[in-house]
Amino acid sequence: GWYQSTYYGSFVSRALLDSQFSYQHAIEESVVLIYDPIKTAQGSLSLKAYRLTPKLMEICKEKDFTPEGLKKANIGFEHMFEEVPIVIKNSHLINVLMWDLEDKSTVADKHELLNLSSRRQQENAQRQSRGEPPLPEEDITKMFKPPQPPPRMDTLLIAGQINNYCQNVKEFTSQNLGKLFMAEALQGHN
């Protein structure tokens, strides 16, 4: 299989579907590992494994992503991926090494070097400091063609992503509500 990192569970995409189909078609046992570094940094390891369902594998083989083809196959977002359980075992030495590496990491301090959103603003600030006129903001309509209407498969992938967000919210709220009710019950006995 292969792995992909994601942020807050936003991994369902056409590229993931195509890549997983290729892997799973070539090696039947292939899975994709989804790792969320933001959730992991908040203290909970976020690592999940997924496979395409047999129904979706058939659709991908036929490449019939038309609304009629998807309706005929009776496939919705809930029938696209199946989660495979993961069991992780580390030795104590690996855990100590990981803590040591985390303390030495300085990558978080350099995240602004990768930010491309303010590139034109930085260029204009440098030009103004040299006494040159600022560069004009580029017209986006001249740079890009208008988008084509989205195909049906993309809509299903988006529905799957929304379902994934809802599951994350459900997990988060159920844990916190359980703690709240437990604390309330303990205070009632005092």
Side-chain angles (χ1 to χ4, degrees):
W2 59 295
Y3 81 95
Q4 177 175 330
S5 62
T6 183
Y7 298 107
Y8 297 110
S10 61
F11 65 91
V12 180
S13 68
R14 183 61 184 263
L16 179 121
L17 176 81
D18 293 339
S19 296
Q20 182 58 27
F21 172 73
S22 297
Y23 276 97
Q24 205 166 323
H25 185 66
I27 304 169
E28 190 174 331
E29 296 83 18
S30 292
V31 296
V32 57
L33 290 175
I34 304 294
Y35 171 70
D36 191 334
I38 294 177
K39 279 185 168 180
T40 302
Q42 293 172 347
S44 150
L45 177 63
S46 179
L47 187 65
K48 295 188 178 191
Y50 292 98
R51 296 176 38 81
L52 298 181
T53 61
K55 271 186 170 182
L56 190 57
M57 285 296 291
E58 287 300 318
I59 296 264
C60 290
K61 282 179 190 172
E62 297 170 7
K63 298 193 185 306
D64 185 14
F65 300 122
T66 62
E68 296 81 22
L70 294 172
K71 186 176 180 182
K72 184 178 109 180
N74 193 21
I75 191 163
F77 67 87
E78 64 275 355
H79 304 293
M80 295 175 70
F81 294 95
E82 58 187 3
E83 187 172 352
V84 178
I86 297 176
V87 177
I88 299 174
K89 296 180 182 179
N90 280 339
S91 72
H92 296 296
L93 291 175
I94 294 294
N95 291 335
V96 170
L97 175 65
M98 295 301 289
W99 281 103
D100 190 40
L101 290 175
E102 183 178 327
D103 289 341
K104 294 179 182 177
S105 175
T106 60
V107 175
D109 299 334
K110 299 179 182 178
H111 72 280
E112 289 189 21
L113 295 176
L114 302 175
N115 187 359
L116 298 177
S117 63
S118 61
R119 185 175 178 179
R120 180 56 66 113
Q121 294 170 352
Q122 291 173 351
E123 289 177 19
N124 282 339
Q126 290 174 353
R127 289 177 65 87
Q128 287 177 346
S129 67
R130 293 189 302 250
E132 298 174 359
L135 296 172
E137 294 294 326
E138 296 176 6
D139 188 10
I140 293 178
T141 58
K142 292 179 183 177
M143 294 173 55
F144 302 105
K145 295 179 183 177
Q148 296 294 322
R152 177 77 175 164
M153 180 53 86
D154 292 342
T155 307
L156 282 176
L157 292 170
I158 291 169
Q161 186 59 50
I162 291 171
N163 183 46
N164 190 28
Y165 285 142
C166 291
Q167 292 298 326
N168 287 340
V169 169
K170 179 183 164 187
E171 287 176 22
F172 177 75
T173 56
S174 64
Q175 290 173 0
N176 287 330
L177 285 175
K179 291 175 186 176
L180 177 69
F181 289 134
M182 192 181 318
E184 187 178 90
L186 287 172
Q187 284 184 349
H189 289 288
N190 290 337

